[in-house]
Amino acid sequence: MIIQLENNIKTTDLERLRNSLDAVQYQCTEVNTQFQKYIIGVGKKEFDIRAIGTLPGIQDIHRVSDAYKLVSKKWRVDDSIVDLGNDVKIGTNHFQIMAGPCSIESEAQIESTLAHLLENNIKIMRGGVYKPRSSPYSFRGLGQEGLVLWAKKAKEVGIKIITEVMMTDQIDAMLPYVDIFQVGARNSQNFNLLDALGKVDKPVMLKRGISGTINELLQAAEYIFSNGNEKIMLCERGIRSYETAYRNTLDINAIPILKEKSHLPVIVDPSHGIGLRKHVTSVAMAGVIAGADAVIMEVHSNPAKAFSDGQQTLDYSESKRAFKGLIDCYQLRERL
Ligand code: PEP
Ligand code: MN
């Protein structure tokens, strides 16, 4: 059960509410986000919720029986829109493309990518400065120094940035520079990291775990929300299956299902999804048709020389065509 409280609820009214829920043996958790106060009640007993809904200081009350609650669509009529400022929004009716290299490599690469994005009217650049690599001998990223340089250059031209945070210790230093924190597939159920990201006022894009179910992804998002941060996006990036003909099994089905189950924006990552350059564009287009609110894709001036994931990265002419195709698909979907 979700109880939306008036932001200025009196302590005595809150106390009365707690007592009423105690009386029906409901366990309560208080959640204060950047937007609103809530009480999450978990219990078994059937009772008439109207008796609680009419108490002073209460805005609304909803029954939500799923394991995840605040991220569920069952109580929130309007989908959530993540607002990055300067009129850059992601969510239902606010389609975006995020593009850039797998890894941030150099100043020249940052400048070249930004110029390419500007030329194509793309508002968000992706790039890793902390790279989770399968081998410890692979390039692990330029770290905080790379982030500071990149953020400065991007800000100068009005482009937002999304980058992966791998550890709670990195959050404070990264916070002033990032526009969106990315939680990678390998950290999808790192509950300490999710708790910590719930305490900052910055959007978070949470990727589905390598073997994560849709339910687990939604419960991971619930960690962030219940710690106070409502600015969350869910990302389908492919899961591990028995198939070995491509990098991951991009679960297109997850896109409409997530949109149905949650009010959060849903993003598709075709690059890690299929992992094969020549198929990235068509798979991304399929994701958009299936209902994705944004696409995140890997782009590099010379993918053969990319420090990581070159095999799934589009060059500038391929990505130019892809961006156009994605916008066409979005417009087609809107007309259907
Ligand atoms: C990435 O976006 O570069 C990345 C490492 O993604 P994932 O966590 O999906 O593997
Ligand atoms: Mn990558």
Side-chain angles (χ1 to χ4, degrees), residues 94-109:
H94 298 278
F95 180 70
Q96 295 292 341
I97 298 171
M98 315 186 213
C102 180
S103 303
I104 297 297
E105 299 168 359
S106 66
E107 184 167 355
Q109 179 223 32

Side-chain angles (χ1 to χ4, degrees), residues 33-34 197-198 200 202 204 224-225 227-232:
T33 73
Q34 61 265 87
L197 288 169
V200 301
K202 257 304 145 86
V204 176
I224 303 173
F225 201 130
N227 273 282
N229 187 356
E230 296 197 17
K231 300 172 185 169
I232 311 163

Side-chain angles (χ1 to χ4, degrees), residues 100-103 126 128 131-133 164 182 207 237 247 269 271-272 298 308-313:
C102 180
S103 303
R126 64 143 287 145
K131 295 304 304 175
R133 303 306 300 277
E164 177 163 355
Q182 172 173 322
K207 287 196 167 194
R237 50 77 73 196
R247 186 171 180 181
D269 176 348
S271 310
H272 297 85
E298 292 183 336
S308 54
D309 283 353
Q311 79 291 345
Q312 63 191 36
T313 299

Side-chain angles (χ1 to χ4, degrees), residues 104 106 110 128-129 141-152 161:
I104 297 297
S106 66
I110 293 169
V129 292
L142 295 182
Q144 180 72 13
E145 219 175 296
L147 173 62
V148 173
L149 174 70
W150 174 27
K152 180 171 171 286
I161 64 174

Side-chain angles (χ1 to χ4, degrees), residues 185-304:
R186 292 156 192 81
N187 266 320
S188 194
Q189 285 187 308
N190 178 340
F191 301 121
N192 294 328
L193 183 62
L194 302 176
D195 277 342
L197 288 169
K199 295 190 172 75
V200 301
D201 188 9
K202 257 304 145 86
V204 176
M205 186 188 80
L206 173 63
K207 287 196 167 194
R208 183 174 179 181
I210 290 175
S211 308
T213 64
I214 288 173
N215 210 51
E216 284 166 340
L217 175 62
L218 290 166
Q219 290 197 69
E222 187 81 12
Y223 268 83
I224 303 173
F225 201 130
S226 62
N227 273 282
N229 187 356
E230 296 197 17
K231 300 172 185 169
I232 311 163
M233 297 173 274
L234 306 168
C235 178
E236 168 57 44
R237 50 77 73 196
I239 45 176
R240 177 157 293 174
S241 74
Y242 51 79
E243 187 52 73
T244 55
Y246 42 73
R247 186 171 180 181
N248 288 299
T249 299
L250 185 76
D251 182 7
I252 293 281
N253 301 346
I255 297 165
I257 297 295
L258 285 169
K259 288 293 290 179
E260 192 177 88
K261 287 184 180 291
S262 175
H263 54 82
L264 300 174
V266 175
I267 322 287
V268 64
D269 176 348
S271 310
H272 297 85
I274 189 159
L276 300 165
R277 182 183 310 128
K278 67 177 174 183
H279 300 305
V280 163
T281 302
S282 52
V283 165
M285 285 166 46
V288 174
I289 294 291
D293 300 305
V295 175
I296 184 162
M297 63 199 306
E298 292 183 336
V299 168
H300 193 283
S301 61
N302 185 354

